[in-house]
Amino acid sequence: MEFTLLIVIIVLALIFDYINGFHDAANAIATVVATKVLSPFQAVLWAAFFNFLAYWVFGFGVADTVAKTANTMDINLVVILAGVVAAICWNLLTWWLGIPSSSSHTLIGGFAGAAIAHAGFGVVSWYKEGKDGGMPSGVTIIIAFIVLAPLLGALISYLISIWLLYSSKKSIYPKLFTLLLMASTIWFVESQMLYYDAISEPRFDSHFWSVACEAHNIKWFLVAFIVLSVSMFCLIFSSLNLNQAALLLKKMQLLSSAAFSLGHGGNDSQKVMGIIAAAVAVYIHTSGVAQESLPDWLDVILPKDDIAGQMPVWIPLACYSAIAAGTLSGGWKIVKTMGSKITKVTSFEGVAAETAGALTLYFTEHLKIPVSTTHTITGSIIGVGLTKRVSAVRWGVTVSLLWAWVLTIPVSAVLAALIYYVLSLVL
């Protein structure tokens, strides 16, 4: 019975991942479709490819955070099953209504709500201090980033927009600022890199290729590439005529949407990986099966203290494949909201919003915080709109989105609790 429940949870988790893909496809493709840089079909192919490519870029930090939403020693598989079912129901409902709610917070809310129904509020990891002064974790931090992620996206996109606007003027000062930013970016990224001696499991004998292909380093290379690409455009922006600038901005949108799709895949796929890892940990605890007797394809160990976790390769591959397949299915109702209803989006706004969204996702993933890609890109689009005038943002639509964001975790939690009670009677 326990093993059957585990298999059902894994299948449903991957179905949720697929739904997450088409539910959140609009986040990555709305602006490139709205500005006609790509057709809808080309856009979903582009986004799905980079969703999957994220497998080689990001680690498992967010997955670990999600897996530890509740203490796996105090829950059972029915709890996780109820959480996943509730998340699927809420995601399908908001997709049907065209509301860009958060798949991430739906999953976490469902997991936490079912756990509370089973063992009370104490079972949930609300707040845990970070090691050595690092970033704290827990559901409280995740809830805080419901506000912080879109604000961060809005701030970054606003600053990028101002930077681009001033770079279009024939003045030496924007160029000096750009050169200083380029130098600062190179210095910062170099300081974040892991060199050969610091890599625990080098992939190659060659020092160069081991450093170049280390996932941690690839992420920072991408940050540098994004910032330096925008910087190069800013250096020549003032010498371009209107048509040349518009054409180049459209090409840059391909870069910015690809960067955001990478962040979307890396952030959202890890949440499902965390749920599957938690389910295996609960199965080991409740069934009494020894870790050593598990088949290799279920050999999952959650990180604890200084002990590194492990996960068979099929889990991340399946999760990244599922979200990419979901993105291929599109999400046209939400595309309309994200691409036109919040504010009018041109290639200029698209580059600023997607670049800001991508940088925000990379930053939060580095901190191992599961955030909403929906909230992040919406905040970034709002930030761009504010550079024109406050009235350029359609605040009526935005307020409706905010209500959906606020309600997602509590509604998912209550729904999961109800489903848990029903399933407990049946199972």
Side-chain angles (χ1 to χ4, degrees):
M1 178 64 177
E2 292 287 326
F3 186 74
T4 304
L5 268 181
L6 176 63
I7 299 300
V8 169
I9 289 169
I10 292 172
V11 171
L12 286 177
L14 293 175
I15 290 172
F16 171 84
D17 203 17
Y18 171 82
I19 294 170
N20 187 354
F22 75 70
H23 187 279
D24 289 359
N27 298 341
I29 68 174
T31 57
V32 287
V33 172
T35 55
K36 296 182 171 58
V37 173
L38 294 174
S39 70
F41 180 69
Q42 290 171 330
V44 293
L45 281 175
W46 184 256
F49 173 74
F50 286 99
N51 276 172
F52 183 75
L53 199 64
Y55 168 70
W56 286 276
V57 177
F58 297 98
F60 301 143
V62 172
D64 177 39
T65 301
V66 173
K68 293 177 178 177
T69 298
N71 186 350
T72 54
M73 297 299 288
D74 294 328
I75 60 175
N76 57 31
L77 289 176
V78 178
V79 167
I80 300 179
L81 178 61
V84 174
V85 171
I88 289 174
C89 292
W90 180 248
N91 247 11
L92 288 174
L93 177 62
T94 51
W95 167 78
W96 178 257
L97 296 174
I99 301 170
S101 68
S102 168
S103 298
S104 310
H105 296 141
T106 301
L107 189 62
I108 291 163
F111 189 10
I116 291 169
H118 173 73
F121 284 88
V123 74
V124 174
S125 175
W126 295 105
Y127 182 85
K128 184 179 180 181
E129 291 186 1
K131 293 180 182 178
D132 302 322
M135 187 72 187
S137 59
V139 174
T140 305
I141 302 300
I142 295 169
I143 292 172
F145 270 82
I146 291 177
V147 177
L148 294 177
L151 284 180
L152 188 59
L155 176 63
I156 295 174
S157 67
Y158 180 83
L159 294 175
I160 290 173
S161 299
I162 295 296
W163 176 30
L164 288 168
L165 285 170
Y166 276 96
S167 296
S168 66
K169 303 180 186 299
K170 294 185 181 297
S171 170
I172 190 65
Y173 297 110
K175 291 179 174 58
L176 290 175
F177 171 80
T178 300
L179 290 172
L180 179 62
L181 182 63
M182 292 172 75
S184 301
T185 300
I186 292 170
W187 169 81
F188 176 76
V189 169
E190 191 278 332
S191 71
Q192 295 297 315
M193 286 178 57
L194 291 178
Y195 288 97
Y196 189 81
D197 292 340
I199 299 174
S200 57
E201 296 181 10
R203 297 184 182 183
F204 305 96
D205 292 331
S206 165
H207 285 214
F208 173 81
W209 288 112
S210 293
V211 171
C213 296
E214 176 66 22
H216 174 88
N217 293 339
I218 293 173
K219 179 173 61 183
W220 290 113
F221 290 150
L222 284 170
V223 169
F225 181 70
I226 292 166
V227 176
L228 295 178
S229 297
V230 177
S231 298
M232 292 299 292
F233 173 78
C234 287
L235 289 175
I236 64 170
F237 196 2
S238 62
S239 63
L240 302 174
N241 62 40
L242 193 61
N243 290 334
Q244 289 172 328
L247 183 63
L248 198 50
L249 279 168
K250 285 192 173 186
K251 291 181 179 178
M252 287 178 63
Q253 261 199 282
L254 294 175
L255 167 66
S256 60
S257 65
F260 188 83
S261 293
L262 272 172
H264 173 219
N267 195 282
D268 285 27
S269 292
Q270 285 192 58
K271 294 153 193 170
V272 178
M273 289 158 53
I275 288 293
I276 293 175
V280 175
V282 171
Y283 169 72
I284 293 170
H285 168 64
T286 56
S287 66
V289 175
Q291 181 84 39
E292 297 76 20
S293 62
L294 283 174
D296 290 341
W297 65 276
L298 279 180
D299 191 13
V300 174
I301 299 176
L302 295 181
K304 186 177 181 181
D305 298 326
D306 296 326
I307 302 173
Q310 70 179 42
M311 190 178 295
V313 71
W314 74 266
I315 295 178
L317 273 176
C319 291
Y320 281 105
S321 299
I323 200 168
T327 297
L328 278 173
S329 303
W332 312 120
K333 290 188 176 188
I334 298 175
V335 166
K336 186 177 180 182
T337 300
M338 301 295 290
S340 61
K341 285 188 178 180
I342 295 174
T343 188
K344 185 181 178 183
V345 177
T346 65
S347 292
F348 178 94
E349 284 86 12
V351 168
E354 288 161 350
T355 301
L359 292 175
T360 302
L361 289 178
Y362 295 174
F363 172 71
T364 52
E365 195 279 338
H366 178 67
L367 297 176
K368 302 180 181 179
I369 300 170
V371 299
S372 167
T373 54
T374 307
H375 296 186
T376 302
I377 194 63
T378 304
S380 299
I381 293 172
I382 290 171
V384 173
L386 290 174
T387 60
K388 292 180 280 189
R389 60 188 185 280
V390 174
S391 61
V393 177
R394 297 185 178 96
W395 294 105
V397 175
T398 306
V399 169
S400 299
L401 298 181
L402 288 173
W403 274 113
W405 298 355
V406 170
L407 292 173
T408 291
I409 286 184
V411 170
S412 300
V414 171
L415 181 60
L418 294 173
I419 292 172
Y420 168 77
Y421 289 130
V422 173
L423 289 176
S424 296
L425 293 175
V426 176
L427 301 175

